[in-house]
Amino acid sequence: MRKLTTAMPSSFPSLLGDLSRVAPDHVRDVAETKRVLERWMVDPGFRRAFFQDPATAVAGLGVSLTAEQVLPFLGEDSVAEDRRPAAGARPPRSVLRYQAFMQEKIGHRERVRAAGEAADPRMAAWRRRQLNRCTSELGLARATAIVHAPAAFELSKGCTVGCWFCGVAAPRFDHTWAHTAEHAALFRQVLTTMYELLGPCLRQGFLYWATDPLDNPDYEDFLRDFHDVVGRCPQTTTALAHKDVDRTRGLLELTRSLGSEVDRFSIIATGQLDVLHEALTAEEMLRVECIPQNKGAAAVGRKSNAGRARRFAAKRAEELTSDDLSSTIACVSGFLFNMVDRSVQLITPCNASDDWPLGYWVLDSGTFDTAADLRELTETMISRHMRSALRAADVVRARRDLTLSVEDGFLRARSREQVVRIGDLPDPETVADLLTRGDHTAEDFAAARARTGVPFLTTMAMLDGLFTRGLLDEEPPPASRAVPVTIEGAAR
Ligand code: SF4
């Protein structure tokens, strides 16, 4: 699908806010454009029909739009040559309205990302470093799509859907966590504890990970708890929206009433989109992003080569991102809970690899029985892993995915996706050598440079700058070798 670059008037109303003030024809234009585009993305049969006869194909979807109103998003190749409209025509108003909606959603994602910074300065600095590292490690395009949410809460053990491409390799569904009085009380205490620890950024958390939220029949009750304690309705992402459309309609009404801006439905088979489009109007699905995951989806939506998908890297290569591109679907830099196990891990996204097949580092893990255990556990994890600045005794080493070189007198750090030029340093060859060897503490490094005439504090500041930019190695040992945090009294 094509990105348009037409300049946007600033006067379009928000469609993620109160719709009662938006003209119905505006809502309809955007909702119906979205509907046609999601059909085009998911359904190869529709793409073929559109290519031959765009007007009939669009009319067949039961929308009031014409093909000319969606063509600007699809590009010339979507239509047979003799059916292409004349070049230079002014885009219809509906096109500008839809474009404004897309820009509003990009702004929403940026706000979610910005709002994810913790009140604790150690965690805030750590998260900023992980954002910087991800930009270097994953590349700007992939990194900006990651919101680095501060927490995610699984409400089941495993997932019933069993997607072959599951980027977090969800295990087979085992059981779910009922919204009993006891569980609800613990959940609310956990949320309260985390809110006290992290502050309002917890609002950017959500209630799934390697689980589908709708596997839990009481999901909506947990959603209300989260909204009640934390003050925001978390985003829902589900691959089960088609299973019970009455439940789905109720869920959308609930999330809308609680102020949710965007929810997401994974579309694993074309038939699922058929069911959803049949049951829900374009307007009801206005704020639902449909993620095409089906065989036959348009090529722009290749899946990450992470998690279970890695097992199919050869067999289904045409559906996955290629080896030379970074891959992860992880979007949390913070705490990943499983409420069934009462476990918590400290995680942050990385490129999926043999060491980190799930596309995220696990820096620490532990279990808890009570909210008091949890407070102690998470505070221990923060003080163990979240330095706000480089310390003199820290060993300094370039990240292992970086190659350092000196070109034209400048030190450069080359990652899979980026080359970063590092300042104007005296004797950059020695800096490159010491950072590659990684056998000096910051203090020893600065002392070695001081002997060649570079002031000690200049080197310390330079190293702290590299640390802040996420260029120094903070990678933990692969998960199998990590030592979990144990808190006395937590017997699990
Ligand atoms: S991708 Fe989502 S729905 Fe599919 S198996 Fe993984 S967690 Fe379940």
Side-chain angles (χ1 to χ4, degrees):
M1 234 163 54
R2 215 165 69 173
K3 279 187 186 145
L4 296 185
T5 51
T6 318
M8 296 301 307
S10 56
S11 55
F12 285 121
S14 165
L15 294 182
L16 298 180
D18 178 6
L19 288 184
S20 66
R21 289 191 239 140
V22 184
D25 70 299
H26 188 121
V27 175
R28 192 181 58 240
D29 269 358
V30 174
E32 291 191 349
T33 304
K34 172 178 171 292
R35 176 150 290 207
V36 177
L37 296 182
E38 61 204 15
R39 172 61 65 182
W40 193 88
M41 286 291 291
V42 166
D43 187 346
F46 179 75
R47 290 198 294 276
R48 282 192 295 274
F50 189 91
F51 185 83
Q52 295 302 340
D53 184 352
T56 306
V58 171
L61 297 183
V63 294
S64 57
L65 299 177
T66 64
E68 286 68 32
Q69 289 175 281
V70 291
L71 257 170
F73 296 104
L74 301 180
E76 283 201 338
D77 295 351
S78 62
V79 181
E81 212 165 327
D82 58 343
R83 304 261 179 176
R84 288 176 195 161
R90 201 183 153 89
R93 191 169 52 169
S94 66
V95 169
L96 299 181
R97 287 172 164 177
Y98 185 76
Q99 202 182 349
F101 180 54
M102 296 311 289
Q103 288 180 352
E104 187 183 5
K105 288 212 293 186
I106 291 168
H108 165 71
R109 189 179 71 194
E110 283 163 5
R111 282 194 303 280
V112 166
R113 197 171 142 100
E117 184 158 306
D120 184 301
R122 294 165 301 173
M123 185 162 175
W126 173 80
R127 179 180 180 272
R128 283 196 295 273
R129 260 193 331 273
Q130 305 321 311
L131 265 80
N132 291 340
R133 173 184 56 78
C134 283
T135 301
S136 161
E137 182 182 337
L138 305 175
L140 189 62
R142 271 159 220 283
T144 47
I146 299 176
V147 295
H148 294 265
F153 301 84
E154 295 179 322
L155 300 171
S156 303
K157 195 79 185 138
C159 176
T160 60
V161 185
C163 307
W164 68 267
F165 53 81
C166 182
V168 286
R172 189 188 298 271
F173 178 78
D174 186 9
H175 65 287
T176 193
W177 205 56
H179 191 265
T180 61
E182 185 202 343
H183 289 171
L186 177 66
F187 185 57
R188 293 172 76 97
Q189 286 163 10
V190 164
L191 293 174
T192 303
T193 301
M194 294 310 292
Y195 194 93
E196 285 166 4
L197 198 70
L198 305 182
C201 76
L202 187 62
R203 293 182 185 140
Q204 312 312 322
F206 47 88
L207 308 185
Y208 56 87
W209 185 256
T211 52
D212 193 292
L214 295 190
D215 271 336
N216 190 317
D218 301 333
Y219 172 65
E220 291 84 341
D221 294 322
F222 288 111
L223 204 69
R224 286 189 193 89
D225 286 339
F226 189 97
H227 180 265
D228 199 24
V229 176
V230 176
R232 184 169 184 265
C233 179
Q235 176 182 285
T236 296
T237 300
T238 178
L240 294 173
H242 63 290
K243 278 263 162 145
D244 177 349
V245 287
D246 290 334
R247 182 182 183 192
T248 300
R249 184 179 294 105
L251 175 68
L252 291 179
E253 282 165 12
L254 172 66
T255 61
R256 186 66 208 128
S257 73
L258 298 179
S260 172
E261 287 147 317
V262 175
D263 291 308
R264 303 168 88 209
F265 294 168
S266 291
I267 306 297
I268 294 169
T270 315
Q272 295 178 357
L273 191 72
D274 298 342
V275 171
L276 290 166
H277 278 188
E278 177 69 28
L280 300 166
T281 65
E283 282 87 348
E284 281 176 302
M285 287 182 63
L286 176 68
R287 294 187 182 96
V288 177
E289 290 178 352
C290 286
I291 310 159
Q293 307 269 24
N294 57 304
K295 201 170 176 63
V300 289
R302 283 191 170 212
K303 300 169 183 69
S304 276
N305 186 6
R308 196 148 49 228
R310 291 173 64 78
R311 286 196 223 145
F312 296 86
K315 214 164 142 192
R316 303 186 75 151
E318 76 288 353
E319 293 176 67
L320 298 174
T321 50
S322 62
D323 248 4
D324 55 339
L325 292 175
S326 54
S327 266
T328 181
I329 64 159
C331 59
V332 167
S333 278
F335 298 98
L336 169 59
F337 289 81
N338 183 283
M339 295 305 298
V340 177
D341 292 342
R342 299 190 188 182
S343 65
V344 58
Q345 296 178 308
L346 175 60
I347 67 170
T348 183
C350 67
N351 186 39
S353 64
D354 288 345
D355 279 346
W356 303 105
L358 302 184
Y360 57 89
W361 293 347
V362 180
L363 291 103
D364 226 328
S365 61
T367 53
F368 59 94
D369 271 341
T370 65
D373 291 344
L374 176 64
R375 178 182 295 278
E376 196 180 335
L377 183 61
T378 44
E379 279 180 350
T380 303
M381 289 182 182
I382 288 175
S383 50
R384 252 196 202 181
H385 300 283
M386 297 184 185
R387 286 164 286 163
S388 49
L390 189 67
R391 296 168 302 203
D394 289 336
V395 172
V396 285
R397 173 186 316 116
R399 285 192 344 248
R400 69 181 169 120
D401 64 301
L402 293 177
T403 305
L404 301 186
S405 62
V406 178
E407 293 164 37
D408 308 324
F410 288 100
L411 178 60
R412 285 177 165 78
R414 191 179 304 272
S415 63
R416 174 194 291 248
E417 303 278 351
Q418 266 196 338
V419 182
V420 179
R421 198 176 83 163
I422 301 168
D424 191 3
L425 306 174
D427 190 13
E429 287 84 3
T430 304
V431 174
D433 178 49
L434 293 179
L435 287 175
T436 305
R437 279 163 45 190
D439 53 5
H440 282 57
T441 63
E443 189 176 14
D444 292 345
F445 193 121
R449 300 256 297 154
R451 287 193 286 279
T452 67
V454 182
F456 183 90
L457 290 180
T458 302
T459 301
M460 288 300 281
M462 180 270 292
L463 290 174
D464 192 53
L466 298 182
F467 183 61
T468 303
R469 291 168 75 179
L471 297 171
L472 297 188
D473 187 17
E474 289 190 88
E475 184 178 340
S480 56
R481 287 190 270 133
V483 182
V485 175
T486 45
I487 298 295
E488 241 171 88
R492 288 157 193 279

